[in-house]
Amino acid sequence: MTVKLSSSNLSSLPGNVAGPKYDRSKLKAGIVHFGVGNFHRSHQAVYLDDLFNSGVGHDWALVGAGVFEGEKIGRGKLEEQDWLTTVVEQDEGHMSARVTGAMIDFLMPGDAAGIIDRLADPAIKIVSLTITEGGYFIDPASGVFNPAHPDIVADAQPGATPKTVFGIILAGLLRRRDEGTVPFTVMSCDNIPHNGHVTSDGVIGLARLIDEDLASWVSGNVAFPNGMVDRITPATTDRERGILAKDFGVEDAWPVFCEPFRQWVLEDHFTDGRPPLEKVGVQFVRDVAPYELMKIRILNGGHATIAYPAGLMDIHFVHEAMQEPLVRGFLDKLEHDEIIPTVPPVPDTVLEDYYQLIEKRFSNPKIGDTIRRLCLDGSNRQPKFIIPTIADRLKAGKGVAGLALESALWCRYCFGTSDSGAVIEPNDPSWDRLQATAKAAKDAPAAWLAMEDIYGDVGRATVFVEAFGHALNVLWANGARATLTRYIAGKL
């Protein structure tokens, strides 16, 4: 027998499943969140659930929001279970389940008018985002907001109904300005360097297309704190739903499985107050940049490092990749030789200890994270997680053999077949372009680096061009296994 997740069944949860210790009917909305996916529900929502369980912060409940048609599917699943989510933590020797209740509503995705009305409500003091790296309209090569993007141009037209997150946020801020209401804080929870600044650039950049005075008002009155977020959280499949029903007796249409580890480092910069999240483990700091750079380069760069060779070897799960000595050896050598040396000191942190923790987390056999997820969206992720490290190495006159190999492995993956000849299904919003370019690069490696919007100056640096071309040629001639063997032995 399983218990179907709903408010009315909270009192009937199995004994090994924890539920909210607070009265959800007395929660009041304080945060509107765009991008109600698995990461948000394993991270921000869990911190808030912990806070509410401690007996404080009950006027900071979450309201979901979104702009895409596809988000209606997740909303429908959550609505059927009264916005509740089961969060399952797993590692090798630990497995626990809890039901979180921090979300109390989810506005209909794409209903711009309804969402803007909610943003205008003075009770909403924070608007938070997990809209993925691709949702910020950043030019990959320059790292700067792109005001010429067609979606942004459309939102800037007089009388337009906004379709983007930035357009809806700006409309909400405009309403609050006109009504004399204190503006809300805009808080990014995405894996983007300087995510607060990037969000600010997007909102203010759009405002500048509409009205320079509005842009100046947003710049002077709205807080955009930078933050670093971390918790490995794979996508939900029938596998996870089945484990939850079998091991915990709960029927949840959209549970979240994640690792026990979580981290949130946040600048204490808010327009109109914030929940006391320091009570539940959030680190508030003056400058989040050192923590952010460490995580993006060592963890996210590490994910990219193992993703593409594992994909070419037909490895399915991340922990299986870490059991492959060639993949693990590639990660260890590249991190220590080229990535970690580019990371400046971080307060109260030993970088080698952090790397060892990352290696352990990647090796977690219970999490079910997939190589395909790590390979997803390289056209947006590589310019944030790998290419800036290459640029720093080149600027310092240091070697880039390992980073060039990582880039060559990405190119080879985008060709669309693994080393065994298995078809790699499209795995990037720009897959057609990437695949065509990868095919051209097989005979002319420089074609890959000529993607100016991705590589920028790095793609024109002679040292990198030569190292990349050599690595790609070796990959095509010998395959991923033999190439990694040569690299690890220092003979690439």
Side-chain angles (χ1 to χ4, degrees):
M1 276 294 287
T2 57
V3 174
K4 186 174 175 61
L5 190 58
S6 68
S7 290
S8 60
N9 285 339
L10 283 176
S11 60
S12 305
L13 288 174
N16 58 346
V17 180
K21 299 174 183 175
Y22 47 90
D23 183 348
R24 293 181 73 230
S25 68
K26 294 183 178 177
L27 294 178
K28 296 179 181 177
I31 302 172
V32 169
H33 182 82
F34 285 90
V36 182
N38 279 22
F39 180 76
H40 163 70
R41 293 181 301 134
S42 79
H43 194 266
Q44 182 185 356
V46 169
Y47 279 104
L48 288 167
D49 190 66
D50 282 347
L51 186 67
F52 300 167
N53 277 334
S54 75
V56 299
H58 291 179
D59 53 352
W60 291 100
L62 287 159
V63 174
V67 297
F68 297 114
E69 186 72 20
E71 292 177 277
K72 292 179 180 178
I73 297 171
R75 182 191 180 277
K77 291 176 179 177
L78 292 176
E79 183 177 28
E80 289 180 2
Q81 51 200 48
D82 303 315
W83 320 120
L84 296 165
T85 291
T86 312
V87 178
V88 179
E89 296 181 359
Q90 284 186 304
D91 64 13
E92 201 166 15
H94 167 80
M95 187 174 177
S96 63
R98 63 189 284 187
V99 172
T100 61
M103 175 176 284
I104 59 172
D105 195 5
F106 192 156
L107 306 172
M108 187 60 70
D111 177 14
I115 297 171
I116 292 165
D117 283 345
R118 197 60 173 261
L119 297 184
D121 180 353
I124 300 301
K125 299 179 184 298
I126 295 174
V127 172
S128 54
L129 315 170
T130 46
I131 55 175
T132 75
E133 298 88 356
Y136 286 80
F137 303 99
I138 304 166
D139 175 68
S142 67
V144 174
F145 172 69
N146 177 17
H149 191 285
D151 293 351
I152 293 295
V153 172
D155 272 7
Q157 299 308 304
T161 298
K163 297 278 198 322
T164 70
V165 172
F166 290 164
I168 291 173
I169 286 174
L170 188 60
L173 288 169
L174 179 60
R175 280 268 299 272
R176 290 174 83 120
R177 185 191 71 169
D178 292 348
E179 293 170 6
T181 305
V182 176
F184 45 75
T185 295
V186 183
M187 182 177 71
S188 171
C189 300
D190 277 300
N191 279 321
I192 296 177
H194 318 299
N195 56 13
H197 296 319
V198 170
T199 309
S200 170
D201 287 348
V203 176
I204 295 171
L206 174 58
R208 191 164 285 121
L209 297 177
I210 298 170
D211 176 6
E212 192 63 47
D213 288 342
L214 175 60
S216 297
W217 179 83
V218 173
S219 178
N221 292 277
V222 181
F224 295 86
N226 292 298
M228 183 268 263
V229 296
D230 191 7
R231 190 172 216 183
I232 296 173
T233 309
T236 302
T237 67
D238 287 341
R239 170 186 180 271
E240 284 73 35
R241 282 182 279 269
I243 291 171
L244 179 62
K246 176 176 175 291
D247 292 356
F248 292 99
V250 174
E251 183 183 338
D252 183 334
W254 197 18
V256 174
F257 279 54
C258 55
E259 62 176 339
F261 177 89
R262 56 184 153 113
Q263 187 176 19
W264 193 0
V265 185
L266 190 56
E267 291 173 358
D268 202 352
H269 176 47
F270 291 79
T271 311
D272 191 22
R274 62 166 176 81
L277 290 165
E278 67 275 10
K279 295 180 182 292
V280 289
V282 176
Q283 297 168 257
F284 284 96
V285 298
R286 185 185 60 81
D287 180 14
V288 79
Y291 301 89
E292 178 182 74
L293 187 67
M294 172 183 72
K295 188 256 179 174
I296 282 171
R297 294 208 172 174
I298 300 177
L299 185 143
N300 296 111
H303 265 157
T305 299
I306 67 175
Y308 299 109
L312 293 173
M313 295 179 190
D314 302 303
I315 297 172
H316 184 72
F317 287 115
V318 175
H319 70 271
E320 292 172 339
M322 293 298 288
Q323 291 167 0
E324 165 55 62
L326 291 173
V327 175
R328 195 181 190 105
F330 179 43
L331 174 69
D332 188 74
K333 181 172 172 60
L334 179 53
E335 288 273 14
H336 286 103
D337 287 2
E338 298 179 28
I339 294 177
I340 295 173
T342 71
V343 179
V346 179
D348 304 316
T349 304
V350 177
L351 292 181
E352 179 58 26
D353 291 348
Y354 182 77
Y355 170 72
Q356 295 296 333
L357 174 63
I358 295 304
E359 194 178 61
K360 180 181 178 184
R361 292 168 62 195
F362 288 2
S363 303
N364 183 348
K366 294 289 189 180
I367 201 64
D369 202 6
T370 65
I371 290 298
R372 183 170 172 81
R373 184 185 81 87
L374 300 195
C375 291
L376 172 70
D377 205 13
S379 61
N380 274 304
R381 293 179 175 182
Q382 290 280 314
K384 297 173 181 67
F385 303 154
I386 292 292
I387 294 171
T389 308
I390 300 170
D392 282 357
R393 295 284 296 178
L394 293 171
K395 186 176 180 181
K398 303 291 187 182
V400 289
L403 290 162
L405 176 54
E406 188 281 337
S407 226
L409 286 158
W410 176 43
C411 173
R412 171 66 186 84
Y413 176 90
C414 292
F415 187 87
T417 57
S418 69
D419 278 351
S420 72
V423 173
I424 297 171
E425 296 297 332
N427 202 19
D428 192 288
S430 300
W431 185 259
D432 290 346
R433 173 203 184 194
L434 294 176
Q435 188 171 37
T437 308
K439 288 180 177 179
K442 183 178 181 181
D443 297 317
W448 185 257
L449 303 182
M451 292 190 290
E452 178 78 18
D453 56 322
I454 292 175
Y455 283 96
D457 291 342
V458 163
R460 293 186 290 272
T462 303
V463 171
F464 183 68
V465 171
E466 292 177 354
F468 172 83
H470 173 68
L472 187 61
N473 288 334
V474 173
L475 266 176
W476 273 116
N478 301 282
R481 288 185 178 276
T483 304
L484 291 184
T485 300
R486 287 173 62 168
Y487 170 74
I488 292 166
K491 297 179 180 178
L492 182 61

